[in-house]
Every structure is written in C-alpha cells, then in structure tokens.
Amino acid sequence: MLGIDPGLTRCGLGCVDIDARRQVRLVEVGVVRTPPSQSPELRLLTIAEAIEDWIARLGPTVVSIERVFAQDNLRSVISVAQVIGVAMTAGARAGLEVAQHTPSEAKAAVTGSGIADKAQVQAMVTRILGLEAPPRPADAADALAQAICHGWRGGGTGADDVAEMVSAGGAVRASARTPAQRQWAAAQAAARRTGAVDPRRARR
C-alpha cells in the first residue's frame, strides 16, 4: 500500500506491507518538498516523478490518497487538488487501483477517533509500525496513516488468488466470491502482471 498525503510544498509518501492478519510493516516513508519560488508546473513535475519512482521501485498494488476537504484558503485547496490529480494519474498509468480516504477516516483507522490531532496520529502510527521514533514531519505520518487506513478497511493482502478484492467502496472476501467474481479477479491479476509494475513481487 502506498499512501499519499498531498501537498505542493510537502507531499508525504508512505509505503507499507499489510498481511492477512492485518500486521503492518514499514517499507519506506518520506516527503517530497518543492520550493514556493518555483513555477507550479515544475513543482507538480517533481512530485509526479517522485511518485512514479516510488511505484517503480517498491511495486505497490494500491495507491491511497488523502481526499481533499473544504478549507477557507481556496488557493491551498486548488494546489492540493492539483497534487491529487498528479498522484491519481501516476497510479492509473502504472495500472494500480487508486483509492481515496478523508483525513477523518485515516485518523479513525489508526487512532479510533476521527478528530485525533497530528501528535496522536504520529504516536499511533509509530506504535502500529513498531518504530523507534515518530515519522516526521507530520505529512509523513499522515501518508502512512492513509496507507494503513486503506489496508485495514479493504482487508489483508496476499496472493492474487486468495486476496480480498479491494476497492475504495468496499471489499468482497475471496471466500465469498461467486465463480464469476473469481474468474474476474484472476483475469484482473493476469492483466496487471503485463503492466509496468509486476505484482508478483511482495504485495504492498
């Protein structure tokens, strides 16, 4: 799972492995920074190239992006929406599922409260991943929370023929699939293997 906390000045990226028992392991975490003095299109290009590099190197099967929410600052909303578009495009180009969860959903998934503050999110992400120190800055922890949120909401991941079919709208357990659903899942898995990212690597 690759989680993204979109932002033009700081874009948080967090990749985790989640197994069928909901155990979470950190793969990589970081923040892409772009200077406000730079042209917007170049800043977006920097973020796009970073996300594409993460996808190519780490081979996630899902990209989960924080959903934009209303703010008083219209300029900030627009820039965040632009980064979301860049991230969605990068995921789609790689043939990956792209999901979105609101900040409240991600907070609730990792802390149990949709109104938790950033310190609480950092603390719980640190605990869930068994880290020695909280991920910093907060954008990095938020990206990891986004990845964990989608992994837990969608169920555990595993081999293509036993994994749950995960989508932003819900999931269908492999054991509950109809024959047609199993055939569809197998065809989808085969199609993904011919794409730019080979999902036969460890699922992330």
Side-chain angles (χ1 to χ4, degrees):
M1 303 285 174
L2 174 58
I4 299 177
D5 178 43
L8 195 55
T9 300
R10 294 186 307 275
C11 181
L13 301 175
C15 190
V16 299
D17 280 331
I18 302 179
D19 64 24
R21 297 171 300 171
R22 294 165 56 92
Q23 298 297 308
V24 188
R25 181 181 69 85
L26 175 66
V27 176
E28 190 168 331
V29 63
V31 173
V32 184
R33 301 175 187 271
T34 65
S37 59
Q38 196 173 40
S39 299
E41 69 275 14
L42 296 180
R43 300 176 74 185
L44 290 170
L45 178 61
T46 297
I47 294 169
E49 290 177 340
I51 294 173
E52 289 169 357
D53 173 69
W54 277 55
I55 290 173
R57 288 189 301 104
L58 305 178
T61 55
V62 178
V63 175
S64 186
I65 309 162
E66 182 175 288
R67 187 184 300 276
V68 68
F69 57 97
Q71 293 181 349
D72 293 332
N73 188 337
L74 181 60
R75 180 178 296 180
S76 177
V77 170
I78 291 174
S79 65
V80 171
Q82 289 172 333
V83 176
I84 290 174
V86 163
M88 294 178 74
T89 300
R93 183 176 288 121
L96 304 180
E97 178 196 351
V98 177
Q100 288 186 275
H101 296 281
T102 66
S104 294
E105 289 174 324
K107 290 176 182 179
V110 300
T111 71
S113 171
I115 59 173
D117 60 27
K118 288 187 177 297
Q120 290 173 306
V121 172
Q122 286 179 307
M124 286 307 300
V125 166
T126 301
R127 180 176 177 182
I128 291 167
L129 293 173
L131 306 178
E132 294 183 357
R136 298 185 186 281
D139 311 82
D142 288 345
L144 290 170
Q146 184 70 206
I148 295 168
C149 173
H150 187 72
W152 281 356
R153 282 176 174 267
T157 60
D160 286 315
D161 58 343
V162 299
E164 296 182 0
M165 292 191 296
V166 181
S167 70
V172 177
R173 291 187 180 278
S175 59
R177 291 177 183 169
T178 65
Q181 287 173 332
R182 286 195 294 270
Q183 186 176 14
W184 174 86
Q188 186 185 54
R192 285 201 303 268
R193 291 194 181 101
T194 64
V197 178
D198 186 350
R200 286 171 293 186
R201 299 168 61 183
R203 289 177 66 93
R204 289 171 178 151

